[in-house]
Amino acid sequence: MLLKDLQGSDDKPIYERIAEQVKFAVASGVLRPGDLVPSVRELSKQLVVNPNTVARAYRELQNESVVEPVRGTGLVVSENALAQCKKDRKEIVRKRLREAIAEARLSRLDAHEIEAIFREEWSRTNGVKLV
Amino acid sequence: MLLKDLQGSDDKPIYERIAEQVKFAVASGVLRPGDLVPSVRELSKQLVVNPNTVARAYRELQNESVVEPVRGTGLVVSENALAQCKKDRKEIVRKRLREAIAEARLSRLDAHEIEAIFREEWSRTNGVKLV
Amino acid sequence: MLLKDLQGSDDKPIYERIAEQVKFAVASGVLRPGDLVPSVRELSKQLVVNPNTVARAYRELQNESVVEPVRGTGLVVSENALAQCKKDRKEIVRKRLREAIAEARLSRLDAHEIEAIFREEWSRTNGVKLV
Amino acid sequence: MLLKDLQGSDDKPIYERIAEQVKFAVASGVLRPGDLVPSVRELSKQLVVNPNTVARAYRELQNESVVEPVRGTGLVVSENALAQCKKDRKEIVRKRLREAIAEARLSRLDAHEIEAIFREEWSRTNGVKLV
DNA sequence: GTGGTCTAGACCACC
DNA sequence: GTGGTCTAGACCACG
C-alpha cells in the first residue's frame, strides 16, 4: 500500500491530498524516478474515491512535471521529480514559518515570545530541546 | 476609517477577513470594550462589499462573543473581548508554528535546518538578528 | 454571443478549444482585462456542452493566469492577460513555422522551394503578393 | 538499423511515428520499391515496442499503398511508393505552412511580421539567409 | 491493461 | 446567482 488513508485536515480537496501524498512519496524515496505510479483505477479502489478524482490529482502532477505519461503503460515518476519534490517540501516549511512570523509581527510579539512558543511546540513533538 | 482594505491572500472568504480585522482592531486597542462597531450598512459601504457579507462577519463575531447586541443601539465590543482577542492572536502564531514544525518533521529536517530557515525568514522582515 | 461554435479540427479536446477561444477573445480585444467571462452554466448552455467541460477550460485559464476568480461573482480577465495572450498567439505562429521548416529541412527542400510554397499558401488566403 | 529510435515529440502515437519513418526512408531512397521491409517481429525487437504496434503501423502503410504483401515473403515497398512518399513530404510542409499562415491571419499579423519570424526561424537552423 | 475526455447530476461555500 | 468538488458511468485511442 503506497499511500496512506485520506484523513486529517479536511479543508483541502481530496485530489490535492492525493497529489501531495505522491509528491511526499517521491521526496522520501518511496517512489523513485522511473517508477510507475499506481494506475488511476487501482489507486481509486485503494483510496475508495472516484477514478476521476485520482485522475485529476495525476493531471496536477503532470502539470508540475512530477510524473509523465508513457503511452499505453501508465504514468512514471520523471527524472527531475526527486530534486523538485525535496525542494518543494523545504519551501512549504519556509512558507509556513513566514506566515507564522508575519502573524507574530502583526501581533507585536517580540523575538523572545515567538522563540518561546517555537521551543514549546518543537519539544511537544519531540523530547529533544532546541539549543 | 476603522478597517483596512480587503486585499491580500484571497483564499479566505471576505466575511472571515472582516471578522479578523475587527478582532485585530480589538486586540491592538483601536476598538475597546464598550465601543460601538460600525453599522452593517456603513461598513458595507466603506469596504464596498455586499451587506450580507458584513452581516455574516458580525454574526461570527457574536458567536465568538467578541461583540454583543445592545437593543436600539447596535453592536458593542464586549467586556472580555480584549483579553480573548489578544489570546487568539497568540494562538494563531502557535498554530502556524505547529504546522511548520509538523511539515519539517515529515520532511526529516532537523532542528538546525529549520532553525536556520527560521532565522532567515525572521531577519528578512527585520534587520534584527534572533539571538 | 461571445464565442463561436465549436467546430473545425476535432483533434483537440473541447475544453482546450474553449480555452483557446477565450484567449483569442482576449488577444483580439473582445474581452478586456477586468471583464467578467460568461458563467460556467451560461457558456455551457450556449455551446451545448457539459458544465464540467467549461469548468475545466476555465480551470486551465486560471492556471495560465488569464482569468482569476472573484468570490461569488465569477471569473474576470486578469490585468496582464492581454499582453500575455497576444504574445501567446505570436508564439503559436512561430511554433508552426518552426515545424514547417523542420519538415522542410528533413525533406531536403531548399530555400527556394519552401519559399515558393509559402508564397502560394499566403496568396491563397489573400490576393496580395508577399514581396 | 533501418529506423532511428522513437523519440522526440511524444504527442504522436508510436505506430504513426513508425509508419512515418518508413515513409521517410522510402522518400529518401533508403528503402526502394521492391525492397522487403523488416518483419513485424524483427522491427518490434529493434525498436523495443509491442509487436502489435508495429503491426498497426504496417497496416496503415498498406492502407496508403506504401507497402504491399507478397505471399510467403512479407511486405515489400510498392512501385508507386517513392513518388507518393516524396509528394507526401512536400504536402506536410505545405500543410504546416498553411496552419502557420492561418494562425497569422487570425492574429492580424501582416506579411512583414510573419516574414520576419520566418526568416528568424529559418536562419536559426541554418546560417544561410533567405533571399 | 493504461490514461484521457465527456456527460450527468449532486452538494458545497460564498456573495 | 457564482465557481469548486465529487461521484458515477460511458467511450475512445494506445500498447
Side-chain angles (χ1 to χ4, degrees):
Chain A
M1 182 79 73
L2 184 61
L3 304 180
K4 300 179 206 166
D5 236 13
L6 294 168
Q7 54 209 12
S9 57
D10 199 350
D11 54 340
K12 278 190 227 166
I14 296 176
Y15 74 89
E16 245 179 65
R17 278 180 278 167
I18 294 173
E20 265 175 23
Q21 291 221 12
V22 172
K23 284 192 273 185
F24 184 77
V26 173
S28 60
V30 175
L31 278 174
R32 290 185 305 183
D35 284 359
L36 211 57
V37 301
S39 81
V40 169
R41 290 160 175 79
E42 187 189 322
L43 188 52
S44 72
K45 267 183 214 155
Q46 273 183 28
L47 302 178
V48 197
V49 296
N50 189 288
N52 282 331
T53 304
V54 175
R56 177 160 182 189
Y58 280 0
R59 208 184 318 142
E60 301 257 307
L61 292 172
Q62 282 189 57
N63 287 343
E64 304 178 45
S65 302
V66 174
V67 298
E68 44 196 18
V70 174
R71 318 271 312 207
T73 301
L75 296 167
V76 302
V77 178
S78 53
E79 281 311 314
N80 55 346
L82 176 57
Q84 195 201 319
C85 289
K86 269 187 177 165
K87 188 169 136 274
D88 280 0
R89 293 201 68 76
K90 212 163 186 173
E91 274 316 301
I92 291 176
V93 173
R94 180 182 300 279
K95 179 166 156 284
R96 296 249 200 273
L97 281 177
R98 188 158 45 222
E99 287 168 356
I101 289 169
E103 268 299 319
R105 295 260 185 236
L106 275 176
S107 309
R108 302 270 186 277
L109 298 183
D110 65 20
H112 295 306
E113 289 179 276
I114 188 173
E115 207 188 340
I117 298 177
F118 184 86
R119 281 174 198 280
E120 252 179 74
E121 290 297 329
W122 178 267
S123 53
R124 228 178 46 83
T125 61
N126 181 359
V128 179
K129 289 221 172 166
L130 185 64
V131 181
Chain B
M1 182 79 73
L2 184 61
L3 304 180
K4 300 183 207 165
D5 234 13
L6 294 167
Q7 53 208 14
S9 55
D10 200 348
D11 54 339
K12 277 191 231 166
I14 295 176
Y15 75 89
E16 245 179 66
R17 278 182 281 168
I18 294 173
E20 266 174 22
Q21 291 221 15
V22 172
K23 285 192 273 183
F24 183 76
V26 172
S28 61
V30 174
L31 278 175
R32 290 186 302 188
D35 284 359
L36 201 62
V37 300
S39 77
V40 168
R41 279 200 290 273
E42 187 188 311
L43 188 52
S44 72
K45 269 186 211 156
Q46 272 184 32
L47 302 177
V48 196
V49 297
N50 191 304
N52 287 331
T53 306
V54 175
R56 176 152 184 194
Y58 282 181
R59 210 185 320 140
E60 300 257 312
L61 290 171
Q62 285 187 57
N63 288 342
E64 303 178 49
S65 303
V66 174
V67 298
E68 44 196 20
V70 173
R71 316 262 323 192
T73 303
L75 293 169
V76 302
V77 178
S78 53
E79 281 312 313
N80 55 345
L82 176 59
Q84 194 200 320
C85 288
K86 269 188 177 166
K87 186 166 138 276
D88 280 359
R89 294 202 67 77
K90 214 162 187 172
E91 274 316 301
I92 291 176
V93 174
R94 181 182 301 278
K95 179 165 155 287
R96 296 250 198 274
L97 282 176
R98 187 158 50 223
E99 285 168 356
I101 289 169
E103 267 298 321
R105 296 263 185 235
L106 275 174
S107 310
R108 301 271 184 277
L109 297 183
D110 65 20
H112 296 305
E113 288 179 278
I114 187 173
E115 207 186 339
I117 297 177
F118 184 86
R119 282 175 197 279
E120 250 178 76
E121 290 297 328
W122 179 267
S123 54
R124 228 176 49 80
T125 61
N126 182 358
V128 179
K129 291 219 171 165
L130 185 64
V131 182
Chain C
M1 183 78 75
L2 187 61
L3 304 180
K4 300 180 208 165
D5 237 13
L6 293 168
Q7 53 208 13
S9 57
D10 201 350
D11 53 338
K12 279 190 227 164
I14 296 176
Y15 73 89
E16 243 178 68
R17 277 181 280 167
I18 295 173
E20 264 175 22
Q21 292 222 12
V22 171
K23 285 193 273 185
F24 182 77
V26 173
S28 61
V30 175
L31 278 175
R32 291 186 304 184
D35 285 358
L36 210 57
V37 300
S39 80
V40 169
R41 289 160 176 81
E42 187 189 322
L43 188 51
S44 72
K45 267 183 214 156
Q46 272 183 30
L47 304 177
V48 197
V49 297
N50 189 289
N52 282 332
T53 305
V54 176
R56 179 160 180 190
Y58 281 180
R59 210 186 313 142
E60 300 256 307
L61 292 172
Q62 282 189 58
N63 287 343
E64 303 177 48
S65 303
V66 174
V67 298
E68 41 197 19
V70 173
R71 316 272 313 208
T73 301
L75 296 169
V76 302
V77 178
S78 53
E79 281 311 313
N80 55 346
L82 176 58
Q84 195 201 318
C85 288
K86 269 187 177 166
K87 187 168 137 273
D88 280 1
R89 293 202 69 77
K90 212 162 186 173
E91 274 317 301
I92 290 176
V93 174
R94 181 182 299 278
K95 180 166 154 283
R96 296 248 200 274
L97 282 177
R98 189 158 44 222
E99 287 168 357
I101 289 169
E103 266 300 319
R105 295 262 186 234
L106 275 173
S107 310
R108 302 272 186 277
L109 298 183
D110 64 22
H112 296 306
E113 288 178 278
I114 187 172
E115 206 186 339
I117 299 176
F118 185 86
R119 282 173 198 280
E120 251 177 75
E121 291 297 329
W122 179 267
S123 54
R124 228 177 46 82
T125 62
N126 181 358
V128 179
K129 290 219 171 169
L130 186 64
V131 183
Chain D
M1 182 78 73
L2 184 60
L3 305 180
K4 299 182 207 165
D5 234 14
L6 296 166
Q7 54 209 13
S9 56
D10 200 349
D11 54 339
K12 278 191 229 167
I14 294 176
Y15 76 89
E16 243 178 69
R17 279 181 280 166
I18 294 174
E20 266 175 21
Q21 292 222 13
V22 172
K23 286 191 275 184
F24 182 77
V26 173
S28 61
V30 174
L31 277 174
R32 290 185 304 187
D35 284 359
L36 202 61
V37 300
S39 78
V40 168
R41 277 199 291 273
E42 188 187 318
L43 188 52
S44 73
K45 268 185 211 156
Q46 272 183 30
L47 302 177
V48 196
V49 297
N50 192 303
N52 286 332
T53 306
V54 175
R56 176 152 184 192
Y58 281 180
R59 211 185 318 140
E60 300 257 312
L61 291 171
Q62 285 187 55
N63 288 342
E64 304 178 48
S65 304
V66 174
V67 297
E68 42 196 19
V70 173
R71 315 255 333 184
T73 304
L75 293 169
V76 302
V77 177
S78 53
E79 281 311 314
N80 56 344
L82 175 57
Q84 194 200 321
C85 288
K86 269 188 176 164
K87 187 169 136 272
D88 280 0
R89 295 202 67 77
K90 212 161 186 173
E91 274 316 301
I92 291 177
V93 174
R94 181 183 301 277
K95 178 165 155 286
R96 296 250 199 270
L97 281 177
R98 188 160 45 225
E99 287 168 355
I101 289 168
E103 268 297 321
R105 294 262 185 237
L106 275 175
S107 310
R108 304 267 185 279
L109 297 183
D110 64 21
H112 296 305
E113 288 179 278
I114 187 173
E115 207 186 339
I117 298 176
F118 185 86
R119 282 174 197 279
E120 251 178 73
E121 290 298 328
W122 179 268
S123 55
R124 230 176 47 81
T125 62
N126 181 359
V128 178
K129 290 218 173 167
L130 187 64
V131 182

